[in-house]
Amino acid sequence: MSGARSGITAVARSLAEGFTRSVALVALTASAPVAWGAAGLFLARLFDSVPAAVACVFPLVVLHLVLLARPVCAATRHVVTRWTGVDLPAAYQPLVPVTRMATGYWWNGYDYQPYRWISVCHRWLFRRTLDPAAWRDMLWVLVGPVTVGAVSATPLALITAGTLGLATPELLPPAPEPLVVTAASAAVGAGVALLPVAWRVAGPVARHLLGPPAVALLGARIATLVQGRADLTRAQESELHRIERNLHDGAQARLVAIGLSLGAAERLVDTDPARTKVLLRQARETSLAALRELRELVHGIVPPVLLERGLVDAVRALAVDAPIRTAVRSTLDHRLETPVESALYFATAELVTNAVKHSGGSAIEITVDRTRTGVALTVSDDGRGGADRRAGSGLAGIGSRLSAFGGTLHVDSPVGGPTRATVEVPCGSS
């Protein structure tokens, strides 16, 4: 019974969501052509001439596109991003500040003007007429009504027509009553069936017209790869310095101490056997300490369990050593490429360390899942939340290192918790 009730609730929620989103899309896309049509009818009656009305409406259409295309498209981007989860950056050209030059003229990124207010006005006008993204906004205002608006309005029109047919059949052309009822019921049923899906056409159309063009996406991708390579180079350099420092201050110093102890023991072996035994014991203890430090250093570079058994078992070993309760769940059944496994392992280690130090939680859950394009690894804790990668924390460093592999880091950490950090890396299995 509860299952049926929950199913009915889900269907009702889907229909209500489809209705509100269809109405919103119709309002966003139809406002411009409705205003143009109303102005055209008014002017046609005023001048009693269709050509004169068209000649007067055309400047109004151009003015409307220049003034309102950007805010309308901004609202459309907002709702489509909120509904579909797909980010739609506008990719407008950067705003150049109005600057006074040595000649006394003002530069706005487009032209020079003798007065600042003229330069500001020109910049505003040129941004809305010369920017390629502005032209794409205007194209959306023109194309949106016959694509997204028409599809979104279809279920609303069917439901309205079917309801009117059932409520006032006398307004319809003469026809047998059963046929009228059947046609009206079919229209209402088709409209209800289309409500949850009709609005979804806004996603691909908006991505094509309102999203950044392919050239901008390619440029952003190149910039990301260049930045990722630079971050990886800096990380490798820092790692080499760390290894060199640990070897110099740790194992190397202990090996020197072993050599000195053995040299002293060699000189005292005939004259002071007791002192020689002490020196040899110290040399043995120092050698064990040096071996332990070398093992820790090697483990910090690439853990042996990661090389021998793969990412999942390495993460499980990491969970066993965690000071708070840590559970691991995985659907990954293949080995990944070694560099990818290493990057995911150390990202997990740092996320677990952050959760232990800063979250104040009592439990951590790690999930490793195969996705359609790669692998996703999530570290969740039940702590206080409030983690922000923009605050200069280690999260920013994790994201920078993952970008070299085309990976991303998403952090969801509302104040009060819980915190959920997801690492996604595109890759294949080995």
Side-chain angles (χ1 to χ4, degrees):
M1 185 67 179
S2 61
R5 187 181 295 110
S6 62
I8 294 174
T9 303
V11 171
R13 185 183 299 113
S14 177
L15 292 176
E17 181 182 83
F19 177 79
T20 55
R21 293 181 178 182
S22 296
V23 171
L25 289 174
V26 170
L28 282 172
T29 57
S31 58
V34 168
W36 301 340
L41 291 176
F42 173 77
L43 293 174
R45 289 190 175 185
L46 180 64
F47 296 117
D48 196 19
S49 172
V50 174
V54 171
C56 293
V57 167
F58 181 75
L60 294 178
V61 172
V62 173
L63 184 62
H64 183 276
L65 291 175
V66 172
L67 292 177
L68 299 180
R70 179 170 292 200
V72 168
C73 292
T76 306
R77 289 189 188 94
H78 174 73
V79 297
V80 172
T81 299
R82 184 176 177 181
W83 294 343
T84 64
V86 178
D87 191 22
L88 294 175
Y92 295 116
Q93 292 180 351
L95 183 64
V96 177
V98 177
T99 307
R100 188 180 179 89
M101 310 304 291
T103 58
Y105 280 75
W106 295 86
W107 169 250
N108 57 21
Y110 298 95
D111 62 1
Y112 294 94
Q113 294 297 330
Y115 300 102
R116 188 179 188 280
W117 69 271
I118 298 179
S119 184
V120 172
C121 293
H122 277 210
R123 183 185 64 175
W124 180 90
L125 179 61
F126 290 149
R127 288 193 73 204
R128 282 159 174 77
T129 56
L130 300 181
D131 192 337
W135 283 98
R136 292 164 64 85
D137 288 349
M138 297 179 190
L139 181 62
W140 167 265
V141 174
L142 296 174
V143 175
V146 297
T147 54
V148 175
V151 176
S152 300
T154 298
L156 303 177
L158 289 173
I159 293 174
T160 302
T163 303
L164 290 176
L166 292 174
T168 56
E170 64 275 5
L171 299 179
L172 299 177
E177 183 175 350
L179 181 60
V180 171
V181 172
T182 301
S185 301
V188 173
V192 171
L194 288 175
L195 267 181
V197 296
W199 65 269
R200 297 183 184 276
V201 72
V205 178
R207 281 196 299 270
H208 182 69
L209 291 180
L210 297 183
V215 174
L217 291 175
L218 182 60
R221 179 60 177 165
I222 293 174
T224 301
L225 291 176
V226 171
Q227 183 63 40
R229 184 179 62 182
D231 293 338
L232 184 60
T233 301
R234 284 193 294 267
Q236 289 176 340
E237 183 180 3
S238 176
E239 184 70 11
L240 288 176
H241 285 316
R242 183 187 70 83
I243 295 172
E244 180 183 6
R245 183 173 60 254
N246 290 345
L247 287 174
H248 182 272
D249 298 339
Q252 178 178 317
R254 295 188 184 278
L255 291 175
V256 171
I258 292 173
L260 294 176
S261 298
L262 291 177
E266 185 180 5
R267 291 192 301 270
L268 297 174
V269 66
D270 296 326
T271 59
D272 193 351
R275 178 61 178 166
T276 300
K277 290 181 180 180
V278 173
L279 292 173
L280 291 176
R281 189 182 308 112
Q282 291 177 350
R284 184 183 62 184
E285 293 174 354
T286 304
S287 68
L288 292 175
L291 180 60
R292 184 171 58 253
E293 289 183 355
L294 287 173
R295 285 175 175 171
E296 292 176 354
L297 183 62
V298 171
H299 188 274
I301 299 173
V302 178
V305 65
L306 181 63
L307 292 177
E308 296 171 3
R309 305 187 62 177
L311 174 65
V312 177
D313 287 337
V315 170
R316 289 195 175 111
L318 186 68
V320 171
D321 295 334
I324 61 177
R325 180 168 55 88
T326 304
V328 179
R329 181 185 60 80
S330 173
T331 60
L332 189 65
D333 54 0
H334 293 89
R335 291 291 302 271
L336 306 175
E337 297 178 357
T338 301
V340 174
E341 285 190 334
S342 179
L344 288 171
Y345 172 81
F346 285 109
T348 305
E350 189 162 352
L351 291 172
V352 170
T353 301
N354 289 343
V356 171
K357 286 184 177 180
H358 307 298
S359 72
S362 60
I364 298 175
E365 183 180 3
I366 305 173
T367 60
V368 187
D369 296 315
R370 166 67 72 180
T371 64
R372 186 167 53 88
T373 58
V375 63
L377 189 148
T378 302
V379 178
S380 306
D381 65 70
D382 59 353
R384 64 178 66 95
D388 187 0
R389 61 180 299 180
R390 297 170 297 180
S393 63
L395 296 175
I398 296 176
S400 298
R401 290 192 294 272
L402 291 172
S403 64
F405 299 92
T408 57
L409 171 65
H410 303 281
V411 180
D412 181 17
S413 182
V415 176
T419 296
R420 180 182 177 90
T422 301
V423 173
E424 296 186 31
V425 176
C427 61
S429 57
S430 61

